[in-house]
Amino acid sequence: MFEKLKEVRRRLEEIDRSLSHPEACSDPSSLGRLMKERSRLEPVVTAYSRIQKNRETIQDLEELLREETDLEMASYLKEELRASRQEEEELSGKLQLLLLPRDENDGKNVVLEIRAGVGGDEAALFAADLCRMYLRYSERKGWKAEVTSVNENGLGGFKECILLVSGEDAWSHLKYESGTHRVQRVPETESAGRIHTSAATVAVMPEADEIDVDLDLGECRFDVFRAHGNGGQCVNTTDSAVRLVHIPTGIVISCQDEKSQLKNKDKAIRILRSKLYLLRQMEQQESEAKTRRDQIGSGDRSEKIRTYNFPQGRVTDHRAHLTVYRIDQIMDGDLDQLVNPLIAAEQAEKLAKAAEA
């Protein structure tokens, strides 16, 4: 482990030397890569330095304790030694986590796609509820979330909704949301008071940078049209909405949330680039059957990662085998109580694999 730490420290020093050169700013994409790598390595080096300093403190305290004859002072030194050893244990645990293999998409922003599944209008209403839940979660985490596209069903539900979420650790938390979300409740459209089971799918894609995907705009067709739905001045009176068609794959992206046609075009390109990046990842991981259908399922109620039962006020995450009776808090965006156990489980699995290696 210490050889690896020395390599990390050397690499950080190399990056700092590169960033100190004036020409480093001449290539924005290279500068961005270096800054991201530095932000990933610096906490490792800082933790390692703190461990080394703490071990020196422990050695000094042990030496003083061996020579101390005053009982009161010896008791004080023992307490300091106990605290320092506990700190070393905590720092070592933190360092182990920092050295775990990282998800290659950590640090990226997120394209989050929500679609109504089985359940008709009730599924669309639930998709709208999920959209609001992720907007509130983003607000709680200090992320920026933008609704780029919405296809409504006329009853306040969403047949489809696409969000762009940007912020620190957005991917590392939202990636667990991919899959089928099942809801059990009495729909607003149900007059007999019967509980229905419906579903919506969530696909979470890392937003791809230009360096990740070489997008040829010559292979794209752009159509402009008049935005529809709720909006302010100019939203429904100008041809500001953009529909982007990627001819080789047939992927279609529509954006209409901005008044500016140029801004809608830019967002459509960002979403397309992310979808192409995900497709490329799926091809690379074909041996693991990583396809988009595997990620989000068909929207059938039986393919579920989580169940939201409103009559009982509970939410169950079937991967973590965790049930919480705080459905109002969850729907208001307090998702960490479901996400954090998944993060901990993934870290524990990586630690176990590292111990076996």
Side-chain angles (χ1 to χ4, degrees), residues 255-320:
C255 285
Q256 64 175 43
D257 63 309
E258 298 283 356
K259 296 178 182 179
S260 164
Q261 185 184 117
L262 187 62
K263 289 183 178 179
N264 282 326
K265 181 179 178 181
D266 177 65
K267 285 186 177 180
I269 291 173
R270 289 167 63 188
I271 294 172
L272 173 61
R273 186 176 284 118
S274 298
K275 289 201 172 192
L276 292 176
Y277 178 63
L278 183 63
L279 284 174
R280 191 181 72 183
Q281 285 190 314
M282 289 174 181
E283 291 170 359
Q284 293 172 345
Q285 300 168 352
E286 189 173 356
S287 60
E288 302 174 18
K290 293 283 188 181
T291 64
R292 185 173 183 280
R293 184 174 179 83
D294 289 329
Q295 185 197 60
I296 67 172
S298 65
D300 188 87
R301 290 179 289 255
S302 62
E303 297 177 342
K304 59 188 181 294
I305 63 165
R306 195 176 290 156
T307 296
Y308 305 73
N309 186 298
F310 280 79
Q312 297 180 17
R314 63 175 170 85
V315 180
T316 299
D317 193 290
H318 303 286
R319 298 157 300 176

Side-chain angles (χ1 to χ4, degrees), residues 32-65:
R33 284 196 300 269
L34 288 173
M35 291 298 293
K36 282 185 177 181
E37 187 178 2
R38 191 187 191 286
S39 66
R40 178 173 61 85
L41 298 180
E42 186 179 25
V44 177
V45 174
T46 299
Y48 180 44
S49 298
R50 288 182 62 188
I51 286 177
Q52 287 183 311
K53 186 176 180 180
N54 192 68
R55 285 180 176 173
E56 291 175 2
T57 300
I58 290 174
Q59 289 177 352
D60 291 340
L61 288 170
E62 287 175 338
E63 186 176 342
L64 289 172
L65 188 58

